[in-house]
Amino acid sequence: MTSDGSILVTGAAGFLGSHLCDRLIAEGHRVHGIDDLSTGSTRHLAHLRGHPAFSFTVHDIARPLPPGLDDVTRIFSLACPASPAYYQQHPVQTLLASTHGVWQLLEFARERGATLLQTSTSEVYGDPQVHPQHEGYWGHVNPIGLRSCYDEGKRCAESLCFACERQYGTRIRVARLFNSYGPRLRPDDGRVVSNFVTQALAGVPLTIYGNGLQTRSFCYVEDTIDGLIALMVSSVQGPVNIGNPTEHTILEVADQVLRLTGSRSRIDFHPAPPDDPVRRRPDITRAKHELHWQPRIALDEGLRRTAAWFAHPMPVAAPKAA
Ligand code: UDP
């Protein structure tokens, strides 16, 4: 990616956002991070404090953007709660982040000729009736269910992006991210990998919701970040699935976590949450052909690295100034 202008990352203090900031700074870019810290943490950015190429503002993306962003030429839009446990407690804020927040970023991008990459989600496919999910599939989403604040918010964000591209020529990219995991997931985030790893390390029962035969396809954070950057520098039209196409049942994930951590925790079964998708696996043909991207880190290796970090959450070394 060329380093003309600087890069705005919204949701910079989150799991993916903080890894993205690290990568962009390490590649020699100037980065402005914003985050309202509703789910993110400045701990994830502590090693960047004082770095000459990095600035950070605590800011809610649903409010008018802060000053000082005049040199921005690229925007990574990541600000939105992503954990079902959290977003279901804050459905209004979740919708506003993806609608009002993304609308403001699109206006900003249009005025400055900047490129906006919107991080959408596999949730736009809902509980899919097509498997694996390719970008042409329209999805199967409950528009008023507990997950709808996230799913419909992200669907509206996509619609806004394409509307602005059609009507104003705004430069957009849309990534549909499937489940991503790795160091810096919040231990209390409620998602399956962070739950299982923290439970296994603490020697308490692993909580499986439903019968554990539902599937997900887990992409290690490093691969996800590679995919986002490849998409930003591409000229791809239309949304692109970014995810790992290797599908696992939740029971398999529990078994792998127990094996990798050497934990003797037992497995407890709990009722399945409403509208929990039964299966999910990306078709990444488009990303492979058009971005020359595919994930490289298998679940086994990714879980090993994730468990090592949860056991000893070391601060990350500060990238060198460019
Ligand atoms: N899940 C589980 N136990 C947990 C957390 C999640 O069995 O402690 C299941 C959840 O019901 C879902 C899958 O794991 O079927 C992935 O859930 P997660 O919240 O990580 O992400 P989602 O893909 O549902 O957004």
Side-chain angles (χ1 to χ4, degrees):
M1 191 154 52
T2 53
S3 0
D4 51 321
S6 65
I7 299 177
L8 173 63
V9 176
T10 75
F15 160 57
L16 289 178
S18 63
H19 283 283
L20 179 61
C21 289
D22 280 348
R23 177 73 65 84
L24 294 172
I25 297 271
E27 288 184 2
H29 299 286
R30 278 176 292 126
V31 176
H32 301 282
I34 63 178
D35 199 302
D36 70 353
L37 303 179
S38 54
T39 60
S41 166
T42 50
R43 267 198 319 277
H44 297 149
L45 299 171
H47 55 285
L48 294 178
R49 193 174 299 141
H51 193 291
F54 184 69
S55 69
F56 178 73
T57 310
V58 179
H59 178 82
D60 175 357
I61 194 62
R63 297 185 179 279
L65 285 168
L69 302 176
D70 290 336
D71 61 342
V72 167
T73 53
R74 297 180 195 267
I75 304 159
F76 285 91
S77 164
L78 277 74
C80 185
S83 154
Y86 182 89
Y87 68 61
Q88 289 175 19
Q89 285 168 8
H90 302 87
V92 174
Q93 288 78 4
T94 303
L95 269 164
L96 288 177
S98 287
T99 53
H100 201 64
V102 172
W103 162 240
Q104 294 199 102
L105 292 175
L106 283 162
E107 281 290 276
F108 178 90
R110 170 162 75 115
E111 283 159 14
R112 288 168 175 74
T115 304
L116 177 125
L117 184 151
Q118 166 63 10
T119 53
S120 189
T121 167
S122 56
E123 288 282 326
V124 302
Y125 303 123
D127 189 9
Q129 294 170 317
V130 166
H131 197 73
Q133 293 80 55
H134 58 83
E135 290 88 347
Y137 175 48
W138 291 357
H140 181 230
V141 172
N142 177 350
I144 56 165
L146 285 176
R147 299 174 84 100
S148 69
C149 57
Y150 187 72
D151 303 6
E152 294 292 12
K154 290 285 189 179
R155 284 164 69 99
C156 182
E158 285 200 16
S159 183
L160 272 171
C161 286
F162 288 98
C164 286
E165 183 186 50
R166 282 187 199 108
Q167 197 170 332
Y168 307 126
T170 312
R171 292 143 73 110
I172 57 141
R173 310 277 184 269
V174 173
R176 291 186 178 153
L177 300 181
F178 284 63
N179 297 61
S180 193
Y181 71 101
R184 301 188 194 161
L185 276 171
R186 277 170 59 148
D188 60 348
D189 181 70
R191 273 179 288 184
V192 67
V193 170
S194 42
N195 274 7
F196 285 179
V197 170
T198 49
Q199 290 161 347
L201 292 174
V204 302
L206 270 58
T207 52
I208 289 197
Y209 305 154
N211 59 13
L213 298 179
Q214 71 271 39
T215 67
R216 293 294 187 272
S217 303
F218 295 94
C219 194
Y220 189 65
V221 58
E222 208 173 292
D223 286 328
T224 306
I225 299 300
D226 284 344
L228 288 178
I229 292 177
L231 177 59
M232 177 61 103
V233 300
S234 78
S235 49
V236 176
Q237 304 285 318
V240 183
N241 287 340
I242 301 288
N244 191 318
T246 310
E247 186 179 1
H248 297 271
T249 67
I250 296 305
L251 262 173
E252 285 166 4
V253 178
D255 285 341
Q256 284 211 35
V257 168
L258 289 176
R259 186 170 46 76
L260 290 170
T261 55
S263 170
R264 300 172 70 170
S265 292
R266 64 167 198 268
I267 290 177
D268 279 357
F269 289 86
H270 297 261
D275 296 340
D276 197 19
V278 173
R279 55 192 186 161
R280 195 182 275 161
R281 175 180 166 207
D283 176 333
I284 60 164
T285 310
R286 183 176 286 174
K288 276 186 181 167
H289 286 167
E290 302 208 29
L291 307 182
H292 307 294
W293 171 88
Q294 61 182 316
R296 289 173 303 186
I297 297 168
L299 184 63
D300 202 57
E301 172 61 16
L303 284 178
R304 198 186 309 277
R305 295 187 197 181
T306 307
W309 181 84
F310 272 98
H312 303 285
M314 305 289 286
V316 184
K320 293 202 170 48

